[in-house]
Amino acid sequence: MKRIISCVFALAVMAVSPSAYAVQPDEIMSDPAKELRARDLSRELRCMVCQNQSIDDSEAPLARDLRLLVRERIAAGDSDAQVIDFLVARYGEFVLLKPRLNSHTWLLWLLPPLALAGGGFALWVNGRRRTKAGTSQDDALFALTADEETRLERLIAEPSPDKPV
Amino acid sequence: MIAEAGHYALVLALALALIQSTLPILGARWRDAALMNVARSAALAQLLFVGASFAALVTLHVTSDFSVVNVFENSHSLKPLIYKITGVWGNHEGSMLLWVSILALFGGLVALFGNNLPLSLRAHVLAVQAWVASAFYLFILITSNPFLRIANPPIEGRDLNPVLQDIGLAVHPPMLYLGYVGFSISFSFAVAALIEGRIDAAWARWVRPWTLMAWIFLTLGIAMGSYWAYYELGWGGWWFWDPVENASLMPWLAGTALLHSLVVMEKRNALKVWTILLSILAFSLSLLGTFLVRSGVLTSVHAFATDPTRGVFILLILCIFIGGSLSLYAWRASALKQGGLFAPISREGALVLNNLLLTTACATVFIGTLYPLALEVITGDKISVGAPFFNLTFGPLFLPLMIAVPFGPLLAWKRGDLLGAAQRLMAAGIAALVMVAVVWAWTSGGGAFAPLAIGLAVFVIAGALSDLVERTGLFRMPLGITWRRARGLPRSTWGTVFAHAGVGVALIGIVCETTWNSEYIGSMKSGDVIPIAGYQMKLDSVTQHQGPNFREMVAQFSVLVHGEPLGTMTPSKRNFSTRAATTTEAALMTRGASQLYISLGEVTNDGTVAVRIYHKPLVLLIWFGPVLMAFGGMLSLSDRRLRVGAPKPAKSLRGLQAAE
């Protein structure tokens, strides 16, 4: 069997990408640039018979078929978007690990930023209410009470433990 | 006999839990100390009985009593002893029994060490614990009894799923459960506080060590699970954004937020209402995690629909406890007085920002995990939400968090000086910039992301250390004084330094592993040599072996550097005949914090074997970071302030508190 050599890739930079591979030696394309594209695409496609695995991770026969299909389309000259469209046309949106924005998923994509904005807004409102509640910020918040003043004076009068006596 | 005894002990534990969940509450109503004290003895007795029940199940597994369904389905007489024991919680029924045992353990600990709690608070806390316990005892007894017998006992068992026959799995679930269930204490304290309508800084001081303990276990449990997946699943991946993983990540995020808001509450008596809500949420997410993993809803919504008994039962528990506690919260929270005003730029403000980002991150994971389930139930449409989604939504939330981490400890309470803090972080910032430049030059024009991310990690680590330098006066004062100051620092300060540095360390590991991972995928014959990341890997031989309950193919590799042998690696592939399953035993060689990783694929007819060889630079830091974080947590837990318990406020401090 022909040995396939030199397939050491510096992986594409991603925030957190679990690097797990089930690509078989005989699947690898001869052109490293195309193979890299195939690998990147594979990581975004779901192995439909597995539990939450990309076809790049999975050892299932179906995942292998899909990997070969992706490479076939790339070899035929498809762009990344065309490959994705081809697979979605065949297998439905379920195959995408990163759902596309549409009427069913806009809420999914919108909720996380909304949660952040909502939390930030709630904090802002809360902060404003508090500032209004206190007459003047500096007086209410930061002025020392008489007790604290005397305590502070006593502390200042005491020798610091750090200074050599 | 043992099975029946175990079953009966469990029923008695339920009876005790029912007593514990009612009498102390009545006692607190009627101000009857004797009734309130029932909670303590009931909690201890409950621990005793559920412990006996668990011991019975362990005994059944160890003695391979195949007349019990649970043992028959999950054990094998030839299995090594250690896996007979760990097999107890390698299945649904056993793991639920472990869950309630740990719940009873925490209840027992509160009963034992809660002597300094006000009597009514302790009674309420233990009663709420018992509500949770009763629900889960009922669940086990009605739907998941591990002690059921078989009419015609078979001779041999079906064996445990081979993937689970690993030492990592022996420790991972108990750790995780100690974390999950540990949050039940903060939950019980929160509900008790709502019932009593009283909550103060002392409350936070009582809750903090329990939350911290749960958090430490959860941190270690998640890290261990991740390392287990890394070496056992044979792909070299360590985090998959799998719903099961997300189920444990959500309570961790909420728990981390809770730890920080408890600090504010203890020190400044502020954020009370929010802290209570977080305590409820952290445990609710633990319950949700239990539901997701145990109901089968993840495998398929349809599987859940065809055998819904268990799933519906847990869902019911989930609704009652989450819904009940949140209603109680909505009803009573307004009665809690807000205290401790602070300016936006202050230690409190920094911790609020931490809470905002952590809870949003938690919400993101929640949405990504449950959205596909909800969509399928409502519309029938199936979509997948996987790693690419989480990387895009979760990652950006951690960026501002990481930038903010070093600032928090340097800001003063009430009103901080951002410019001053920035000045004190100058050294850390310079260190980070130097690191960015070094990494950039070293990779000579690779992507910009990795150098920047590593710079950020260095900023976090150096920022944590600057706080230490600042407090001890290192470089500014004579060494003797620095030493005295360092010894005088509270352990919780050291804990903060270690935990924050741990975050940076883990980030370095994550970035290095994902960016500079080298891999070789190919077929090899005996005698072939493959170069990878400066190492030469030579396949010496491929042999067959017979294990206790499996057959395995073992490949032996020699690892060489510049022709000099470093050692051998022996990855294998095991075939378990009883379950007709194979597992991949990857071989790992550790070089510093980096690892070489080999896993085997199929053997072809002409004798070549498919192999995957990876070099993973600094990969161990991914888990070393969480270990550092947990170590920081332990240091903080051993702080004198928590060891001596919550003292009554001293008379002389009264004046100070009145100002808040």
Side-chain angles (χ1 to χ4, degrees), chain B residues 439-517:
Chain B
V439 177
W440 189 292
W442 182 57
T443 55
S444 57
F449 177 84
L452 288 176
I454 289 185
L456 183 62
V458 168
F459 179 62
V460 171
I461 299 171
L465 295 178
S466 336
D467 181 33
L468 205 58
V469 168
E470 187 70 29
R471 281 167 196 257
T472 54
L474 190 67
F475 310 130
R476 283 187 292 119
M477 295 185 187
L479 273 178
I481 292 179
T482 304
W483 175 243
R484 258 213 337 256
R485 278 194 172 196
R487 288 184 39 144
L489 278 184
R491 290 210 193 147
S492 58
T493 306
W494 286 96
T496 308
V497 171
F498 275 101
H500 286 179
V503 179
V505 169
L507 181 63
I508 293 183
I510 291 171
V511 173
C512 289
E513 197 276 338
T514 48
T515 314
W516 296 298
N517 176 28

Side-chain angles (χ1 to χ4, degrees), chain A:
Chain A
M1 191 179 148
K2 204 177 90 188
R3 244 176 63 186
I4 301 152
I5 28 170
S6 76
C7 288
V8 183
F9 293 120
L11 284 182
V13 176
M14 293 175 95
V16 182
S17 73
S19 36
Y21 314 101
V23 181
Q24 295 295 314
D26 55 338
E27 295 170 11
I28 293 171
M29 300 174 82
S30 50
D31 180 350
K34 285 185 176 170
E35 174 64 19
L36 194 58
R37 270 177 61 205
R39 293 294 293 276
D40 284 344
L41 275 175
S42 299
R43 243 169 257 134
E44 307 220 332
L45 295 168
R46 178 184 184 136
C47 159
M48 279 116 53
V49 294
C50 315
Q51 200 177 322
N52 197 53
Q53 276 183 324
S54 74
I55 58 172
D56 201 48
D57 295 343
S58 173
E59 303 207 338
L62 175 83
R64 179 184 161 85
D65 293 346
L66 283 175
R67 282 195 299 268
L68 289 173
L69 193 59
V70 167
R71 283 168 175 77
E72 209 173 88
R73 300 308 308 173
I74 289 179
D78 278 12
S79 71
D80 289 1
Q82 281 172 320
V83 177
I84 297 266
D85 286 341
F86 178 80
L87 284 164
V88 170
R90 260 197 175 186
Y91 299 103
E93 296 278 331
F94 189 58
V95 79
L96 300 177
L97 279 172
K98 187 170 78 185
R100 295 202 272 204
L101 198 64
N102 61 30
S103 60
H104 277 153
T105 57
W106 63 269
L107 200 59
L108 171 72
W109 284 103
L110 213 60
L111 275 175
L114 268 185
L116 185 64
F121 182 71
L123 282 178
W124 181 69
V125 167
N126 202 11
R128 265 178 70 97
R129 209 182 51 205
R130 281 190 181 193
T131 338
K132 276 186 183 166
T135 43
S136 155
Q137 200 185 19
D138 283 291
D139 292 351
L141 264 176
F142 306 109
L144 298 182
T145 61
D147 278 351
E148 284 169 333
E149 292 278 9
T150 48
R151 201 168 126 77
L152 185 64
E153 271 160 28
R154 214 172 51 238
L155 281 172
I156 291 171
E158 278 173 20
S160 157
D162 285 338
K163 283 183 190 150
V165 185

Side-chain angles (χ1 to χ4, degrees), chain B residues 69-406:
Chain B
V69 183
N70 187 264
V71 181
F72 162 67
E73 282 181 348
N74 299 292
S75 196
H76 192 279
S77 55
L78 293 177
K79 202 164 63 167
L81 178 65
I82 171 89
Y83 299 135
K84 282 186 182 169
I85 297 173
T86 64
V88 171
W89 53 80
N91 61 81
H92 170 80
E93 291 83 359
S95 80
M96 286 319 296
L97 189 59
L98 179 68
W99 204 100
V100 287
S101 304
I102 292 175
L103 187 68
L105 177 68
F106 274 107
L109 286 177
V110 173
L112 270 183
F113 298 108
N115 287 330
N116 56 359
L117 295 176
L119 193 57
S120 70
L121 181 63
R122 191 178 73 185
H124 277 126
V125 168
L126 286 174
V128 177
Q129 279 272 308
W131 296 348
V132 181
S134 309
F136 277 91
Y137 288 136
L138 277 174
F139 172 68
I140 294 179
L141 288 169
I142 294 174
T143 72
S144 319
N145 186 353
F147 297 108
L148 287 181
R149 294 271 193 188
I150 305 174
N152 299 306
I155 299 172
E156 194 48 271
R158 282 200 201 140
D159 208 354
L160 179 67
N161 185 347
V163 176
L164 305 183
Q165 294 189 29
D166 182 88
I167 194 71
L169 200 89
V171 200
H172 168 61
M175 284 282 208
L176 210 57
Y177 281 3
L178 280 167
Y180 267 17
V181 180
F183 285 130
S184 71
I185 302 280
S186 24
F187 172 83
S188 300
F189 267 97
V191 173
L194 286 173
I195 294 175
E196 295 202 331
R198 199 158 47 91
I199 180 169
D200 48 22
W203 180 91
R205 184 168 290 196
W206 283 310
V207 177
R208 228 177 120 192
W210 296 104
T211 312
L212 196 53
M213 205 192 307
W215 180 86
I216 292 168
F217 281 120
L218 195 56
T219 308
L220 289 176
I222 293 176
M224 197 170 282
S226 157
Y227 190 66
W228 172 77
Y230 167 74
Y231 73 77
E232 176 70 17
L233 297 184
W235 316 324
W238 43 268
W239 191 260
F240 305 95
W241 291 108
D242 188 88
V244 179
E245 290 171 324
N246 294 347
S248 64
L249 184 63
M250 285 188 276
W252 187 85
L253 290 167
T256 311
L258 175 61
L259 271 184
H260 289 88
S261 79
L262 276 170
V263 175
V264 179
M265 196 172 148
E266 183 192 357
K267 302 274 191 201
R268 298 278 303 118
N269 209 16
L271 298 187
K272 289 181 192 173
V273 178
W274 172 242
T275 306
I276 292 274
L277 180 63
L278 268 183
S279 310
I280 292 176
L281 284 183
F283 185 59
S284 298
L285 290 167
S286 298
L287 285 179
L288 179 75
T290 310
F291 166 71
L292 286 178
V293 177
R294 286 288 145 226
S295 66
V297 71
L298 289 176
T299 337
S300 143
V301 177
H302 304 294
F304 175 65
T306 45
D307 180 22
T309 7
R310 284 176 180 173
V312 167
F313 204 116
I314 303 192
L315 194 59
L316 206 67
I317 295 181
L318 205 67
C319 291
I320 291 174
F321 280 99
I322 300 180
S325 54
L326 288 180
S327 314
L328 186 67
Y329 174 80
W331 177 40
R332 297 297 295 258
S334 54
L336 304 173
K337 274 208 298 278
Q338 281 285 16
L341 292 173
F342 54 87
I345 304 286
S346 61
R347 179 91 62 93
E348 293 95 320
L351 289 165
V352 167
L353 180 68
N354 149 307
N355 271 228
L356 174 67
L357 292 170
L358 279 174
T359 41
T360 310
C362 183
T364 304
V365 178
F366 181 86
I367 293 160
T369 311
L370 293 185
Y371 194 88
L373 293 177
L375 188 69
E376 191 180 348
V377 169
I378 296 169
T379 67
D381 277 357
K382 288 179 75 149
I383 61 161
S384 307
V385 177
F389 171 85
F390 290 106
N391 291 343
L392 267 177
T393 50
F394 190 85
L397 286 171
F398 260 67
L399 180 74
L401 187 62
M402 299 290 262
I403 295 174
V405 160

